[in-house]
Amino acid sequence: MSWDLQTQCEEWRERGLWRELRVLDSMQGPVIHLDGQELVNFSSNDYLGLAASAELQEAMREGIERYGAGAGASRLVCGTLRPHRDLEDALAEFKGTEAALAFSSGYATALGTIPALLGTGDTVILDKLCHASLVDAAKLSGATIRVFPHNHLGKLEKLLQCANGRVLVVTESVFSMDGDRCPLAEIVELKDRHGAWLMLDEAHAVGVIGPDGRGLAAELGLESRVDLQMGTLSKAIGLSGGYLAANRQVIGWLINRARSLVYSTAMPPSVAYAALVSVCKLVRGPAGDLRRQRLRDRLSQLCPEKSPASAIVPWIIGDELNAMEMSSRLREAGFLIPAIRYPTVARGSARLRVTMSADHTKEQIGRLLAALGDAGLPCA
């Protein structure tokens, strides 16, 4: 059987689904340089504006000076350096758990965790809008997969009633493409009632929501009732990597059985060192509170008639080609807001995903609102 890849590529281009890498010629930030053009960037997940901050640049330099550029090995061989352990201790304290484990990425965190805990005969129940990494991890586990409509508590309860084996409910604090929150308190009640575990992905909540930016579970006082708290270091924290926070028994098991951890070289120790600085000194405390307040102020300016649930504000277009056209018009006006299309979102639900940073200025947001109005998108 021949594989006509060229035809498939052409079909994706015709349907407005083709993607290409964008190469920035500047640091990450509210203003970037792309293909010789200066653009205001409303597409980054750098919610607190830390990715290019002087504080994290200095922390990276200090981490390299102390611990070198690379880890040199996987975590179980000799790749666990002091910053890795210090970061994990800080993350556990930050998330209100007994222990935590750092991975090289959020994707690796999901792929290592779910298959290590579940297998054939068990059940994974996912929200329909869960991130691809969570879906892929569930498939890799070999467990039976059940999916409930987005935030539909009634359907979730029915699936819990007929689930077999060990049962894990998987959802997100803040959903990456819609920016809305899960009904966490109700989900916790359901999973407790039916003896299931809950894995909560706080990737887009940490740094933004809750006391000290500790996430939705902390905001609702539910840390002790969420069995597995997953997150990333690559969004509000400003770096790269992922983590799983849980009890010591779970973390010990993952150290032995999470294949994406056991068989991967550890994250660079300088990244772990800088992440420790970010969590302890920049995300938490007065410095973090100031950034979160600026972020809330900017969101209020963008959406004055409602309070967004997160730093993510989608403008739904529907048609993929129309979304591409809107994105191009905004780029001509000086803004980078890529069109989000299938398969990232469902067919016919293409959108412009505006993400806010604490470092955006009021003037930049005013210009964006004017450009959205000119493009026929006056409100989210």
Side-chain angles (χ1 to χ4, degrees), residues 363-379:
E363 185 270 339
Q364 288 167 344
I365 297 169
R367 287 170 47 205
L368 173 63
L369 287 168
L372 289 168
D374 291 343
L377 299 169
C379 61

Side-chain angles (χ1 to χ4, degrees), residues 26-78:
S26 62
M27 291 185 185
Q28 186 61 250
V31 177
I32 57 171
H33 291 88
L34 175 63
D35 296 334
Q37 184 181 8
E38 183 176 277
L39 299 168
V40 181
N41 182 14
F42 282 99
S43 63
S44 168
N45 295 324
D46 183 26
Y47 303 130
L48 297 184
L50 294 176
S53 66
E55 296 92 337
L56 284 193
Q57 290 186 53
E58 177 58 32
M60 287 286 284
R61 284 191 289 267
E62 186 172 345
I64 290 173
E65 289 171 1
R66 291 190 183 190
Y67 301 103
S74 63
R75 294 291 304 274
L76 284 176
V77 179
C78 65

Side-chain angles (χ1 to χ4, degrees), residues 49-50 165 228 252 293:
L50 294 176
L228 308 170
Q293 185 57 56

